[in-house]
């Protein structure tokens, strides 16, 4: 059974559109800070549907993405986000055909857009029944979850030090 409360690290800003240019990314990431708080699954879904950027748990409950902070201070997570980009299969059909079903999914800003070739783009979100510590264990669990569909996964998003733009 999935624990009702989990730690999620959330940005202090939300997005209505994905920042694509260097200028837009700079504006979004300036003064961006993260706070780790406890949420239940329904609150997690609300964060996602409201466009908040999320990430995993790091050493400090509050931090900024500066000086490689995330690479040096990763602790672990109780959820894993798998990024699928430019897929020709709809998210629901995709999920029907995979072994490890996600807890929930959402489409991303690139979904069915011209810049993504009018293909499906979505995140599969797996809420785990326990917290997993460390990068090695993260990779093991990640690889297990995507074992039958790894070829569809955006390789850049397999890194536990990333933050994820959700989509409203």
């Amino acid at each position: 059974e999935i624990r009702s409360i989990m730690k999620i690290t959330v940005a202090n800003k939300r997005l209505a559109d994905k920042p694509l240019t260097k200028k837009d990314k700079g504006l979004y990431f300036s003064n961006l800070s993260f706070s780790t708080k406890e949420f239940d699954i329904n609150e997690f879904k609300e964060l996602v549907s409201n466009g908040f950027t999320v990430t995993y748990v790091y050493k400090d409950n509050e931090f900024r993405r500066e000086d490689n902070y995330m690479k040096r201070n990763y602790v672990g997570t109780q959820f894993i986000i798998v990024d699928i980009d430019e897929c020709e299969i709809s998210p629901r059909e995709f999920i029907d055909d995979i072994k490890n079903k996600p807890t929930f999914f959402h489409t991303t800003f690139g979904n069915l857009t011209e810049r993504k070739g009018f293909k499906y783009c979505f995140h599969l979100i797996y809420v785990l029944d326990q917290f997993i510590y460390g990068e090695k264990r993260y990779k093991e669990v990640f690889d297990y979850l995507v074992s039958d569909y790894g070829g569809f996964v955006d390789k850049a998003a397999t890194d536990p030090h990333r933050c994820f733009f959700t989509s409203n």
Side-chain angles (χ1 to χ4, degrees), residues 56 80-84 94 122-126 138 142 145-146 149 152-154 157-158 164:
Y56 303 123
I80 289 179
I81 296 178
V82 179
D83 190 12
I84 308 292
F94 188 90
F122 49 95
H123 286 157
L124 303 178
I125 301 177
Y126 293 88
Y138 171 90
F142 189 98
L145 292 173
V146 305
Y149 65 91
F152 289 92
V153 176
D154 177 352
T158 63
F164 292 88

Side-chain angles (χ1 to χ4, degrees), residues 9 29 32 34 53-59 63-77 79-81 132-139 142 154-165:
T9 305
F29 285 112
L32 185 73
F34 286 92
T53 300
V54 298
T55 189
Y56 303 123
V57 175
Y58 297 84
K59 181 183 75 145
F63 64 89
R64 294 167 98 49
R65 271 182 89 235
E66 301 172 337
D67 304 322
N68 288 314
Y69 176 89
M70 294 171 85
K71 287 200 186 309
R72 293 181 288 112
N73 295 290
Y74 177 79
V75 173
T77 187
F79 68 93
I80 289 179
I81 296 178
I132 53 171
Y133 291 91
E135 296 168 27
K136 181 179 181 222
R137 187 73 180 126
Y138 171 90
K139 177 133 178 56
F142 189 98
D154 177 352
K155 299 304 180 231
T158 63
D159 183 350
H161 311 111
R162 291 180 55 103
C163 56
F164 292 88
F165 298 129

Side-chain angles (χ1 to χ4, degrees), residues 30-115:
S30 70
N31 300 316
L32 185 73
S33 63
F34 286 92
S35 298
T36 302
K37 298 176 183 157
E38 292 188 338
F39 296 92
D40 66 26
I41 290 176
N42 290 328
E43 291 168 321
F44 190 8
K45 289 178 182 179
E46 276 294 306
L47 290 172
V48 168
S49 67
N50 285 308
F52 282 96
T53 300
V54 298
T55 189
Y56 303 123
V57 175
Y58 297 84
K59 181 183 75 145
D60 300 302
N61 281 336
E62 294 189 19
F63 64 89
R64 294 167 98 49
R65 271 182 89 235
E66 301 172 337
D67 304 322
N68 288 314
Y69 176 89
M70 294 171 85
K71 287 200 186 309
R72 293 181 288 112
N73 295 290
Y74 177 79
V75 173
T77 187
Q78 193 176 331
F79 68 93
I80 289 179
I81 296 178
V82 179
D83 190 12
I84 308 292
D85 263 348
E86 299 181 40
C87 183
E88 299 201 8
I89 306 164
S90 76
R92 292 196 191 281
E93 289 177 272
F94 188 90
I95 291 166
D96 284 346
D97 289 341
I98 61 176
K99 179 175 66 175
N100 298 308
K101 309 291 188 220
T103 309
F104 64 100
F105 78 92
H106 73 94
T107 56
T108 62
F109 288 116
N111 188 51
L112 301 175
T113 60
E114 183 177 6
R115 74 182 163 80

